[in-house]
Amino acid sequence: MKHMAFLFLGAALFAASASAQSKLTVVTTTEDLASIGREVGGDHISIESLARGYQDPHFVEAKPSFILKLQKADLLVAVGRELEIGWLPPLIQQSRNSKIQPGSQGYLDASLGATILEIPSGTITRAMGDVHPLGNPHYWMDPENGKRIGKEFADKLSEIRPNDRAYFQQRLADFTSRLDAAAKRWLAQMAPYKGTKVVTYHRSFPNFAERFGLDIIGYVEPKPGIPPTPQHTLDLINEMKRQNVKLVLVEPYFDLKTPNAIGRDTGAQVLVMPPSVGGTKEVTDYFKLFDYDINLLVEAIKKTGAK
Ligand SMILES: [Zn+2]
């Protein structure tokens, strides 16, 4: 009995010391980052995203509530590679929160350890209308990069809360092994369809395509961030007919008018495929994003006989 009482006292003291340190308040720009951060941070952090997954992450409408959230944040995590350049910098400035200014300890660029595709060579000018000047910022669409983002989170959270390092590292290890197991399943599902040709609206899926073996032969947008033009659409239709492309993948926030016209002309199926957590109601976390997209693709490939 005496021993039991001692254990209870120990547990009570431990609980008291743990709660003495309040949860870290983490804000992310996207729901993908919030999902990965939640995996790693567990109940030692509170975390929420500014943008919703059904919004175009390049062009998020800034709301006053965003500034309030940033004012209270201990840590801000951004996708980086200039994905948020159109909306985030003024919000950070207006928050007047010194902790989360770029370069401060409470600002994390999640792209630091990630594999980035399509890094341009030569001189880049905004006149090109390109919203991907530092390479493709949709890098979270590869689970390997998801693991790297998780590691960035764990290291940053450990840096801010060194006493919780073991907790964050343990959660990272758990997240990594569950993601590895899931990725093995996703790769097996996609393996029979390696090399399937698709067109996508925006360049949201190069990392996904490279990992899971899709061949993206063209884009509905003539350049990232530039709406379709009649000439580009005509060229794309001709190329799709030439290569017998049967799938057009469209992010949930783009107008379906041009994709549907392309579908009618080529016989291709138009699929609305979310590139983000929160992109559709079933996709509530990072694992479900790949579950959903891969099931959607496999069904469509079977139905259309796409190759
Ligand atoms: Zn983009």
Side-chain angles (χ1 to χ4, degrees):
M1 259 334 263
K2 207 172 178 182
H3 186 62
M4 281 293 279
F6 180 74
L7 273 180
F8 276 123
L9 180 64
L13 281 172
F14 180 75
S17 70
S19 66
Q21 205 173 29
S22 61
K23 289 184 181 191
L24 267 181
T25 303
V26 183
V27 172
T28 66
T29 54
T30 68
E31 293 197 59
D32 309 286
L33 295 181
S35 177
I36 295 170
R38 201 167 284 127
E39 295 281 351
V40 174
D43 61 8
H44 288 207
I45 67 170
S46 69
I47 186 163
E48 65 176 324
S49 165
L50 296 176
R52 301 268 74 92
Y54 51 77
Q55 295 176 304
D56 183 342
H58 289 290
F59 304 103
V60 176
E61 197 193 334
K63 293 194 268 183
S65 62
F66 290 0
I67 297 172
L68 295 175
K69 283 170 185 168
L70 290 172
Q71 278 169 353
K72 295 178 200 144
D74 298 309
L75 172 63
L76 168 63
V77 186
V79 171
R81 297 280 158 173
E82 299 202 347
L83 179 79
E84 302 98 337
I85 198 159
W87 56 279
L88 187 63
L91 297 176
I92 297 177
Q93 205 175 17
Q94 286 164 52
S95 78
R96 297 176 188 277
N97 180 349
S98 61
K99 281 193 269 189
I100 60 157
Q101 302 297 316
S104 309
Q105 193 189 35
Y107 179 89
L108 175 63
D109 177 337
S111 74
L112 293 174
T115 299
I116 305 298
L117 303 177
E118 302 178 344
I119 293 177
S121 50
T123 315
I124 309 302
T125 68
R126 289 272 164 200
M128 294 160 73
D130 199 332
V131 292
H132 294 172
L134 302 179
N136 192 297
H138 304 274
Y139 58 86
W140 67 87
M141 285 305 292
D142 175 358
E144 286 300 314
N145 275 340
K147 283 156 56 178
R148 296 177 184 121
I149 297 167
K151 186 181 185 310
E152 293 295 331
F153 257 105
D155 290 348
K156 178 53 81 178
L157 293 171
S158 303
E159 183 191 319
I160 300 176
R161 287 279 165 88
N163 292 340
D164 288 347
R165 171 176 291 275
Y167 175 83
F168 296 133
Q169 297 299 332
Q170 172 54 47
R171 289 197 60 104
L172 172 65
D174 180 63
F175 169 62
T176 301
S177 72
R178 281 183 292 119
L179 195 51
D180 277 336
K184 208 176 266 181
R185 199 176 71 234
W186 297 324
L187 285 166
Q189 271 180 280
M190 288 295 289
Y193 312 109
K194 205 171 172 60
T196 299
K197 288 176 178 165
V198 302
V199 158
T200 78
Y201 196 107
H202 179 73
R203 289 179 183 256
S204 305
F205 301 103
N207 289 85
F208 180 90
E210 187 167 286
R211 179 62 53 198
F212 295 108
L214 293 179
D215 180 8
I216 304 173
I217 69 110
Y219 301 92
V220 178
E221 287 180 330
K223 280 183 168 47
I226 301 295
T229 61
Q231 186 57 53
H232 176 75
T233 301
L234 191 62
D235 293 345
L236 183 65
I237 286 171
N238 288 334
E239 191 56 25
M240 286 175 68
K241 285 178 178 168
R242 201 177 67 78
Q243 299 201 41
N244 196 25
V245 178
K246 290 291 166 221
L247 291 173
V248 180
L249 312 181
V250 183
E251 297 84 345
Y253 32 80
F254 290 117
D255 196 307
L256 286 169
K257 204 179 108 207
T258 303
N260 283 340
I262 294 170
R264 279 193 300 274
D265 208 335
T266 60
Q269 188 183 347
V270 176
L271 277 186
V272 176
M273 186 159 122
S276 273
V277 174
T280 186
K281 65 178 190 311
E282 295 94 329
V283 180
T284 50
D285 67 31
Y286 190 65
F287 291 87
K288 294 203 176 91
L289 174 60
F290 295 98
D291 282 339
Y292 183 90
D293 283 356
I294 287 171
N295 283 331
L296 190 75
L297 268 174
V298 167
E299 287 307 309
I301 292 171
K302 282 184 189 161
K303 199 177 122 194
T304 58
K307 283 188 173 64

